[in-house]
Amino acid sequence: MKELVRNYAWPVACGLLVALLIIQRYPHWIGLPTGGNVAIQMAPEVVPAAGPASYSDAVQRAAPAVANIFTSKEVTTPEGAAAGASRNPTLRDYSDSLPAPARRQSSLGSAVILSSDGYLLTNNHVIAGADEILVALQDGREALAQLIGTDPETDLAVLKIDLPNLPAITISASDTRPHRTGDVVMAIGNPFGLGQTVTMGIISATGRNQLGLNTYEDFIQTDAAINQGNSGGALIDAHGNLIGINTAIFSQSGGSQGIGFAIPARLAAEVMKAIITNGRVIRGWLGVEVQPLTAEVAESFRLAPNEGIVITGLYRDGPAWQAGLQPGDVILAIDDEPVSSGRNAMNQVARAQPGQSVKMKVMRGGKPMTFEAEVGVRPNFRP
């Protein structure tokens, strides 16, 4: 019996092994499902990009060009005078006739040196109303700044200081490599007056608008911590190049909640050059008030929603008024560029030079029409 098992055990084992291999390779031979209709897409092997172990080099490159801003202005406090009179019986009967005392109100912020000639960019709200602006550099030097000009519609201001050997930050070449969501960024500023501080995060989104912060909005959103005093500071990339001017945070507590906004550096630099050259930013203007094309209105015009914008009002004697446009007209395109929102149209016209002619494709009463308007200079609607 043992001799029989010894003679047949090995052939049986080999046969079972061959049978299993055949079943696995050709299951349809015995009626098993093949799974050939199930498409499983395997991701190719990706070698992750190696990031630096430290961003110190980037910070050391950019930080000397980020300055602390200390502003002050004189304010009157009649409430304080009345309170002081109630505490002093000898003044109680004369409090109404006494002048209100003045006091100095201070605030903090940040600024970025963009030119070795001494031009700095900061936020308009940082220096608004200030009668004295002190700039403190990282190397310990201080200087009183001259206000060159402001652009409230982008919340930017240009300052000038007179110091030798000023470090200037470099602007990221976003034309060759656009900033992308997920890119590492760092915010440099003077939060709460602690002194220069660096925080790190990523770009959370780009092109943020309709936040109600500025007239012209194209914000970079980041989760790098931005707090009070960071306004006007630098948002830099992993190489130390400037990509934005820190401007605002979304917060319910007053502290950073990981939602901060920065003005793109390219836009900020264009505003600075315009202010230095002309004293203000000159933008194109048509003089129309518009609203989005709702589904109901679009249906009445046999258009798709967001296929244009509806004119709701015109400034008398403005460029659009003189061109013959009327309330109720639907602007479909400006210079052959389709119009999908009022903000995009406003930005497009703002980039045009005053005196330049633009053609507008318009729908009026269900009929397509074409108008030509000469772009005017946008008035300053904000204080």
Side-chain angles (χ1 to χ4, degrees), residues 311-325:
I311 297 177
T312 59
L314 293 164
Y315 285 85
R316 183 177 295 273
D317 296 325
W321 172 288
Q322 295 179 0
L325 273 75

Side-chain angles (χ1 to χ4, degrees), residues 5-355:
V5 171
R6 187 181 302 112
N7 291 337
Y8 289 97
W10 176 245
V12 170
C14 290
L16 290 174
L17 181 60
V18 171
L20 289 173
L21 290 174
I22 292 175
I23 292 173
Q24 184 179 13
R25 181 67 175 173
Y26 306 104
H28 58 282
W29 285 6
I30 58 174
L32 293 177
T34 62
N37 295 327
V38 180
I40 301 177
Q41 185 175 356
M42 303 299 293
E45 183 179 357
V46 177
V47 179
S54 171
Y55 295 97
S56 179
D57 290 342
V59 173
Q60 295 302 317
R61 182 181 179 187
V66 182
N68 298 338
I69 296 289
F70 303 91
T71 66
S72 64
K73 60 183 177 180
E74 191 173 276
V75 295
T76 56
T77 53
E79 297 83 358
S86 64
R87 290 192 297 269
N88 190 339
T90 62
L91 298 178
R92 182 176 301 165
D93 296 336
Y94 308 97
S95 59
D96 291 339
S97 60
L98 289 175
R103 65 183 179 87
R104 303 294 297 180
Q105 185 181 70
S106 300
S107 61
L108 303 169
S110 305
V112 184
I113 304 173
L114 265 73
S115 167
S116 58
D117 295 334
Y119 289 103
L120 299 88
L121 264 176
T122 187
N123 288 135
N124 179 62
H125 74 261
V126 170
I127 52 84
D131 50 38
E132 186 175 87
I133 305 171
L134 178 67
V135 176
L137 304 184
Q138 187 198 47
D139 60 15
R141 291 183 292 172
E142 297 181 351
L144 290 176
Q146 174 190 0
L147 177 61
I148 301 300
T150 65
D151 183 41
E153 295 191 309
T154 55
D155 192 22
L156 290 168
V158 179
L159 307 176
K160 178 77 162 58
I161 59 174
D162 186 14
L163 288 175
N165 302 320
L166 288 172
I169 202 165
T170 57
I171 296 179
S172 175
S174 57
D175 293 340
T176 57
R177 184 192 179 279
H179 308 306
R180 301 176 300 173
T181 300
D183 284 351
V184 172
V185 292
M186 285 156 283
I188 308 177
N190 180 29
F192 303 109
L194 295 173
Q196 194 174 83
T197 302
V198 182
T199 56
M200 189 185 79
I202 62 170
I203 293 178
S204 304
T206 58
R208 289 293 196 210
N209 54 45
Q210 298 183 349
L211 302 178
L213 298 174
N214 304 330
T215 303
Y216 295 93
E217 297 181 337
D218 183 24
F219 291 114
I220 299 170
Q221 181 182 329
T222 178
D223 65 347
I226 298 176
N227 290 288
Q228 297 177 20
N230 272 113
S231 291
L235 187 71
I236 65 171
D237 61 19
H239 305 288
N241 300 313
L242 181 72
I243 67 170
I245 302 295
N246 300 323
T247 297
I249 60 173
F250 178 85
S251 175
Q252 296 178 332
S253 64
S256 175
Q257 292 185 329
I259 303 178
F261 301 99
I263 301 169
R266 289 285 180 176
L267 171 60
E270 291 174 1
V271 169
M272 185 184 76
K273 291 177 182 178
I275 290 175
I276 294 173
T277 303
N278 304 311
R280 67 188 183 100
V281 181
I282 299 176
R283 296 185 173 92
W285 179 67
L286 288 178
V288 295
E289 293 179 350
V290 299
Q291 70 178 24
L293 190 64
T294 62
E296 294 79 7
V297 176
E299 185 178 358
S300 66
F301 282 100
R302 296 182 179 179
L303 297 172
N306 299 323
E307 194 176 342
I309 52 177
V310 182
I311 297 177
T312 59
L314 293 164
Y315 285 85
R316 183 177 295 273
D317 296 325
W321 172 288
Q322 295 179 0
L325 273 75
Q326 299 176 3
D329 289 346
V330 179
I331 301 177
L332 302 177
I334 299 177
D335 281 343
D336 297 325
E337 185 173 332
V339 173
S340 59
S341 72
R343 183 167 297 276
N344 290 340
M346 181 180 65
N347 291 338
Q348 180 184 354
V349 173
R351 292 192 298 267
Q353 294 295 321

